[in-house]
Amino acid sequence: RRHVDAQGMRPAIETVFGTMLEAPIRQQVLLMTAEEDRVAVVSEGHAVTLDGVPYDNMYHFLFELRDGRIAAVWEFNDTEHATAVLRRGRDGGLGLPDPSVDGSG
């Protein structure tokens, strides 16, 4: 597992929203529950890539609240689906570079 903080995720999010999708991901909330200082949300995210491929992913968000404000957010999603849609096509399709491949082999 890898944890990426907000500053680490910002460039990837900007790349996806700015250069890969027709519009930002639309979240449809399916379930929500609150307990103490936490709110859990299950949602479906929907978008379309610039070349017409649907991006339909499941998400779980856990919000931690402090003094009436969001203090922390955890996001979980189907990373296999995200990889299949957003990193597809090494031979010319849309896709983020795969950080595990250094190009030397």
Side-chain angles (χ1 to χ4, degrees):
R1 290 183 209 172
R2 289 187 321 169
H3 172 267
V4 180
D5 65 15
Q7 293 305 317
M9 281 301 298
R10 183 169 299 200
I13 291 170
E14 289 173 350
T15 296
V16 170
F17 285 178
T19 65
M20 301 178 82
L21 301 177
E22 291 180 355
I25 299 169
R26 296 174 324 278
Q27 294 290 337
Q28 177 184 1
V29 174
L30 303 176
L31 300 167
M32 185 182 314
T33 188
E35 183 177 297
E36 298 177 8
D37 62 349
R38 295 174 308 278
V39 177
V41 176
V42 174
S43 67
E44 278 186 320
H46 303 284
V48 177
T49 65
L50 293 176
D51 61 345
V53 176
Y55 176 81
D56 299 307
N57 206 338
M58 293 295 298
Y59 292 85
H60 178 269
F61 296 97
L62 180 61
F63 297 91
E64 181 182 330
L65 307 174
R66 192 174 309 123
D67 298 325
R69 300 180 69 153
I70 297 171
V73 179
W74 290 266
E75 175 191 334
F76 303 89
N77 64 65
D78 181 349
T79 55
E80 183 64 28
H81 177 72
T83 298
V85 173
L86 300 177
R87 287 193 179 162
R88 70 186 192 289
R90 285 189 185 186
D91 298 319
L94 288 173
L96 293 172
D98 185 342
S100 67
V101 177
D102 66 9
S104 63

